Amino acid sequence: MKTVTYERSGRTNTGAQAVRVEGLRHLRVLEQGETVVERALTEDEIERLGPLVEEAGRQPAPAVVEPVAGGPRGMAVSLAFEDEETPRVRLEAHAGQRARGDGTPYDELLEELDELLTEELHLRAPRHAHAVLPHELRQEE
């Protein structure tokens, strides 16, 4: 089974966030090119991703994919197999929306990998942490 990498980057995070599924056994999450999470895939993840990765692997690799940069409110998304020179998919997604092509067989795989990446990054550093405002630091008189 091939290694597949899903990567997303936007204007404010040019170093990118990525999830790499290695042989449908191992998961690696990268931020700014550094591994931040490394673990085995769960049985549920293998069941969900297996058929999608196999289907994507059967599709012919594109000769050339035009580079796409994320717009001011968007991000660039790519899906690549490790043994190929160019990514299978490169497209722009808007912030807060799922990456979708034009009905390609990659859409469901993009959605699953995006969800997995978001979930892993959220577990590592929750986005809804309580913020302490400066006036809350003062002692009661």
Side-chain angles (χ1 to χ4, degrees):
M1 187 62 64
K2 296 180 178 182
T3 295
V4 63
T5 302
Y6 168 80
E7 182 177 15
R8 63 186 180 199
S9 62
R11 289 224 185 259
T12 58
N13 185 8
T14 55
Q17 300 168 327
V19 63
R20 182 173 293 148
V21 176
E22 300 167 350
L24 270 185
R25 297 189 194 298
H26 196 77
L27 174 86
R28 188 182 310 256
V29 175
L30 301 108
E31 273 191 298
Q32 313 296 352
E34 298 291 323
T35 300
V36 294
V37 175
E38 195 170 349
R39 66 171 177 80
L41 286 173
T42 66
E43 289 297 320
D44 182 50
E45 291 166 342
I46 292 170
E47 286 177 22
R48 285 190 344 251
L49 293 172
L52 300 173
V53 171
E54 285 179 28
E55 174 66 24
R58 285 194 293 268
Q59 299 298 315
V64 176
V65 177
E66 293 297 319
V68 176
R73 292 181 37 91
M75 61 185 161
V77 170
S78 67
L79 177 73
F81 285 94
E82 79 173 328
D83 59 344
E84 297 174 352
E85 290 183 32
T86 60
R88 291 288 185 105
V89 177
R90 238 190 226 152
L91 48 90
E92 182 180 358
H94 296 285
Q97 295 179 350
R98 298 265 186 244
R100 306 275 315 165
D102 53 358
T104 68
Y106 299 109
D107 285 352
E108 196 173 344
L109 180 58
L110 287 170
E111 188 173 324
E112 286 289 336
L113 292 173
D114 186 73
E115 188 176 302
L116 187 58
L117 176 57
T118 301
E119 184 179 303
E120 287 296 326
L121 291 173
H122 183 78
L123 287 173
R124 182 174 175 271
R127 305 291 191 242
H128 303 292
H130 175 68
V132 178
L133 301 174
H135 74 274
E136 294 175 326
L137 296 173
R138 288 186 233 136
Q139 292 181 345
E140 295 290 326
E141 293 181 24

